[in-house]
Amino acid sequence: IPVTPFDYVVFGGSGDLACRKLLPALFHRFADGQFDESSRILAVSRSGMAREAYRAMAAEAIGEHGSPGDHDGEVLSRFLGCLDHIHLDVTDPAGWAALADRLDRDETRIRAFYLAVAPDLFGPICEGLGEAGLATANSRVVLEKPLGYDLTSAEAINEAVGRVFAERQIYRIDHYLGKETVQNLMALRFANALFEPLWNSAQIDHVQITVAEEIGVEGRADYYEASGALRDMVQNHLLQLLCLVALEPPAAFTADAVRDEKLKILTALKPITGDAAADLTVRGQYRGVAAGGADIPGYADELGRASGTETFVAIKAEVENWRWAGVPFYLRTGKRMARRASEIVIEFRSIPHSIFGPEAGRILVNQLVLRLQPDEGVKLYLMIKDPGPGGMRLRQVPLNLSFAETFDTRPPDAYERLLLDVVRGNQTLFMRRDEVAAAWAWIDPIRASWDASRTAPHGYRAGTWGPSAAIALIERDRRTWHEEA
Ligand code: BG6
């Protein structure tokens, strides 16, 4: 369904995120007919680029990171016609006047200001928009992470943005919420009668959430050094996934109903403070691997100096409420791991009694695996009888729903959904201020315990599943990480 015409203003419009994600995503929505030339995309940056140069840069970015080949060239050139570039230095009033000139004067028109810039500019940009009178009632502002580096800094950002925009106008992006499998978690839980009766501590033994990346820090070492895996991935993406697994059924799939339930989970997370952090968390940092021509540098080599920043983290978390008491949520994420594999594993309890003799083999527990990437889909591991006329031999086999095989469509990037949800005014897949604060309130003491311990992260070889201490973290509880990750 086409959306109402809009002006999308992208601060940081010639930056990495705009090129890799935002422009390709907007192009695909345009190509699918969700908006047309009556909408405009105004890139703002300090680069002083002329309109034609920006369009050429956008075409190149879409060629590299999108799939323009699925459409004829005419679609791309019509899309490029929606693009413009504005030179703006946030501290220079002349730039704001130039932006004001370019925006549609109709106050009822939807304006979305996307801040794909460093968070210390969020406040000044919002202030500039406010002073130039550009933040109309129909405006929205989209904030990219990182939303601060702890609770205090996140609150300062939220205060500054909140002075100009009301909460209903603020869209805090966590692109994991736009991923197909993540949205499917809600569909699976709340559009099927099958799972919800089993979704509790009586039936579920534990939950695993893994986001493993094969890449390293990819030239972002300076940002990453001040962040580390805990702030970069756990505070936002992994906690959001945990919330969606754990939340109570919202009364409706609407922004506040869903976010109220997520907030309850975040505030029910058992705090990890002081010495507990040594038992419940593991930090790692990848070391270089010499492999002939295919040497992989270690994190410290990429950074150019020794560092105590973690590129891997594993945590045993607990949600202290009626439904989940005693069910561990094992989280892990890292860079330079064996492969790119992100998944949520719900492991059910074992059967109370086996009617089969030892010749049937071991009866393994049921697992529901939601695969985020790659090969998005859902697998339900069941025990079945090995085919054949022999005796009753049992084997574990997955019931396999691959999205690519089931639906013959291009899997959309998360940003495609999210960028247009902003225009639609739908905040369901965006984080509310109190959620962000609650997530930081849980993360900060972990960080503080690490700092106080004065210990270094465990080393792990690039291309492996992280430090052995992370394996020990789960094996101590007589459990193992799901093998496919
Ligand atoms: C970003 C992190 O939020 O998510 C990156 O800053 C990380 O460090 C990225 O690589 C992972 O996203 P995806 O969609 O590739 O899993």
Side-chain angles (χ1 to χ4, degrees):
I1 308 167
V3 294
T4 319
F6 56 81
D7 284 345
Y8 233 110
V9 181
V10 184
F11 287 84
S14 52
D16 185 57
L17 183 77
C19 291
R20 279 190 308 110
K21 295 289 184 186
L22 309 183
L23 288 167
L26 287 166
F27 166 71
H28 283 296
R29 294 295 85 229
F30 179 88
D32 287 350
Q34 227 155 15
F35 66 94
D36 63 18
E37 293 88 334
S38 54
S39 290
R40 291 178 320 155
I41 298 155
L42 306 171
V44 173
S45 77
R46 284 187 307 186
S47 68
M49 214 182 261
R51 178 191 290 162
E52 282 317 313
Y54 185 73
R55 288 180 177 171
M57 193 202 81
E60 201 176 307
I62 293 164
E64 196 177 335
H65 304 288
S67 3
D70 298 351
H71 308 275
D72 60 37
E74 187 257 348
V75 178
L76 179 60
S77 64
R78 281 199 293 122
F79 173 74
L80 295 176
C82 302
L83 303 185
D84 203 347
H85 181 272
I86 297 167
H87 171 81
L88 189 148
D89 177 347
V90 175
T91 57
D92 174 9
W96 293 104
L99 176 59
D101 270 355
R102 268 345 143 73
L103 285 171
D104 196 306
R105 295 201 181 273
D106 177 1
E107 293 250 324
T108 62
R109 186 171 170 98
I110 291 168
R111 284 181 190 169
F113 299 104
Y114 197 117
L115 310 194
V117 292
D120 51 354
L121 290 175
F122 291 176
I125 290 178
C126 289
E127 204 177 308
L129 290 170
E131 280 172 9
L134 300 180
T136 53
N138 245 344
S139 293
R140 290 108 216 239
V141 64
V142 189
L143 308 180
E144 255 301 332
K145 65 181 276 270
L147 287 168
Y149 55 89
D150 61 8
L151 177 57
T152 313
S153 54
E155 280 298 274
I157 291 173
N158 282 324
E159 276 301 318
V161 176
R163 278 196 281 276
V164 179
F165 292 97
E167 183 62 29
R168 64 165 180 83
Q169 297 176 292
I170 304 174
Y171 290 71
R172 297 179 190 83
I173 284 247
D174 183 318
H175 76 282
Y176 268 59
L177 295 179
K179 289 188 189 274
E180 281 294 312
T181 312
V182 178
Q183 296 181 60
N184 255 308
L185 177 54
M186 295 296 273
L188 208 66
R189 282 192 63 189
F190 302 124
N192 295 285
L194 210 59
F195 298 110
E196 215 37 40
L198 306 178
W199 216 259
N200 55 55
S201 63
Q203 313 298 338
I204 291 177
D205 178 74
H206 73 277
V207 175
Q208 298 180 14
I209 302 178
T210 295
V211 177
E213 296 186 274
E214 206 174 324
I215 55 171
V217 290
E218 307 284 291
R220 293 159 78 222
D222 282 340
Y223 152 75
Y224 200 84
E225 179 60 8
S227 162
L230 186 68
R231 293 185 176 113
D232 186 47
M233 298 294 288
V234 181
Q235 188 272 343
N236 36 72
H237 308 322
L238 275 86
L239 285 186
Q240 287 292 318
L241 297 180
L242 182 153
C243 283
L244 294 182
V245 172
L247 53 66
E248 293 299 316
F253 192 54
T254 55
D256 277 334
V258 171
R259 299 187 300 177
D260 286 345
E261 296 306 334
K262 284 198 289 171
L263 180 64
K264 287 184 203 160
I265 298 300
L266 289 166
T267 50
L269 281 170
K270 185 174 181 177
I272 298 181
T273 55
D275 293 345
D279 291 336
L280 301 176
T281 71
V282 172
R283 282 174 294 157
Q285 188 188 88
Y286 60 85
R287 303 274 185 260
V289 178
D295 290 1
I296 305 177
Y299 175 72
D301 307 324
E302 284 178 74
L303 187 69
R305 58 178 189 276
S307 156
T309 298
E310 79 287 354
T311 60
F312 172 95
V313 53
I315 301 181
K316 178 181 175 184
E318 261 182 83
V319 179
E320 292 188 303
N321 68 9
W322 192 280
R323 187 188 284 257
W324 295 113
V327 178
F329 283 71
Y330 298 97
L331 315 178
R332 70 175 165 164
T333 181
K335 302 248 180 226
R336 289 265 189 241
M337 297 189 64
R339 14 175 218 288
R340 177 168 185 249
S342 299
E343 60 181 30
I344 299 170
V345 179
I346 315 291
E347 187 161 312
F348 291 90
R349 294 195 180 280
S350 38
I351 52 165
H353 162 74
S354 172
I355 63 168
F356 305 104
E359 64 285 357
R362 217 170 121 221
I363 300 186
L364 303 175
V365 292
N366 299 128
Q367 289 178 327
L368 176 66
V369 178
L370 294 118
R371 182 91 174 170
L372 271 61
Q373 57 202 24
D375 315 324
E376 292 134 300
V378 179
K379 281 187 189 172
L380 180 60
Y381 285 84
L382 303 171
M383 293 304 295
I384 56 131
K385 179 189 165 298
D386 236 348
M392 179 64 88
R393 285 201 57 80
L394 300 172
R395 194 183 346 160
Q396 192 185 48
V397 180
L399 215 70
N400 188 358
L401 170 66
S402 147
F403 296 164
E405 282 167 24
T406 309
F407 308 103
D408 191 18
T409 50
R410 176 186 63 84
D413 186 77
Y415 279 93
E416 292 184 42
R417 165 77 201 257
L418 298 175
L419 283 166
L420 286 214
D421 271 0
V422 173
V423 175
R424 292 186 197 97
N426 183 356
Q427 290 182 309
T428 311
L429 300 180
F430 295 82
M431 292 179 294
R432 206 168 55 192
R433 177 173 178 168
D434 48 9
E435 275 182 80
V436 175
W440 279 121
W442 188 72
I443 291 290
D444 284 353
I446 298 179
R447 196 68 267 157
S449 311
W450 290 351
D451 291 345
S453 77
R454 295 178 179 279
T455 53
H458 297 271
Y460 64 95
R461 278 167 57 84
T464 65
W465 287 111
S468 52
I471 296 168
L473 175 81
I474 191 165
E475 293 201 340
R476 233 177 20 224
D477 297 341
R478 296 173 190 280
R479 298 176 175 118
T480 49
W481 292 110
H482 184 243
E483 62 187 21
E484 273 183 55

